Amino acid sequence: MIFEQVVLHNFGAYRGEHKVDLDVSPERPIVLIGALNGSGKTTFLDAMQLALYGKSARCSGREKVGYLEYLESMINRDCSPQQGAGVEFAFRARANGQDTHIRIVRTWQKRGESVKENLEVFRNGEHDSVASERWIEFVEEFMPSQIADLFFF
């Protein structure tokens, strides 16, 4: 699994849309992210886990709140809750000798008293309705949530 890109939409401290290129090459074999305390590094890692695992994600600050409350709290405070927020995570995975490009788009917005979440999965640019409906089963096959902390620290 090769991380390619993360896109944050009104997520936590990130107002508006923020794209972060994570792709590596022989000239750029590693991506390092550094910043001062409180500038959003942990929020960025939380976004990656949330995109992949949704309700099963081990995000910071979520120990004592329910999933939908957490989603609502992660809508940027300068945005309307009805406008909502979202995270996208794109990566490459190799299967049967071929690379597959996968992009997960998880969005949510406040509707009345509840929060409505939507998940879409795209394989090689095409919407995959089966993977979208059964994403947690797919992701647990290639990166179980129990070991995700080894990759997102």
Side-chain angles (χ1 to χ4, degrees):
M1 181 173 170
I2 305 293
F3 300 167
E4 294 182 321
Q5 185 181 58
V6 173
V7 182
L8 308 173
H9 302 274
N10 296 326
F11 184 73
Y14 297 91
R15 183 176 185 195
E17 181 178 274
H18 297 267
K19 294 182 181 182
V20 180
D21 180 18
L22 300 173
D23 210 4
V24 293
S25 66
E27 300 80 36
R28 190 180 125 171
I30 190 167
V31 176
L32 296 175
I33 298 174
L36 296 172
N37 289 343
S39 50
K41 298 180 302 292
T42 300
T43 302
F44 179 78
L45 291 174
D46 286 348
M48 294 169 71
Q49 282 211 38
L50 183 61
L52 283 172
Y53 301 109
K55 191 181 267 190
S56 301
R58 297 181 191 171
C59 298
S60 62
R62 194 178 150 223
E63 302 82 25
K64 296 181 181 173
V65 297
Y67 180 61
L68 296 178
E69 289 175 86
Y70 174 75
L71 289 181
E72 184 178 354
S73 75
M74 293 312 293
I75 298 172
N76 182 277
R77 67 176 172 250
D78 294 325
C79 297
S80 156
Q82 290 74 27
Q83 185 178 355
V87 293
E88 297 181 33
F89 186 35
F91 60 91
R92 284 190 310 274
R94 186 170 277 281
N96 302 324
Q98 292 188 323
D99 280 345
T100 301
H101 294 268
I102 299 173
R103 182 168 57 101
I104 304 133
V105 180
R106 188 178 297 273
T107 59
W108 60 94
Q109 54 274 132
K110 179 124 179 172
R111 297 231 175 115
E113 292 300 311
S114 66
V115 174
K116 174 73 175 153
E117 180 186 33
N118 186 52
L119 173 72
E120 294 183 291
V121 177
F122 298 85
R123 287 182 192 258
N124 297 323
E126 299 289 324
H127 184 259
D128 186 331
S129 59
V130 173
S132 296
E133 289 176 26
R134 301 176 63 187
W135 176 249
I136 199 65
E137 295 170 35
F138 284 97
V139 73
E140 287 291 339
E141 283 183 27
F142 61 84
M143 189 188 300
S145 58
Q146 292 84 4
I147 65 166
D149 287 341
L150 297 173
F151 296 92
F152 304 108
F153 61 90

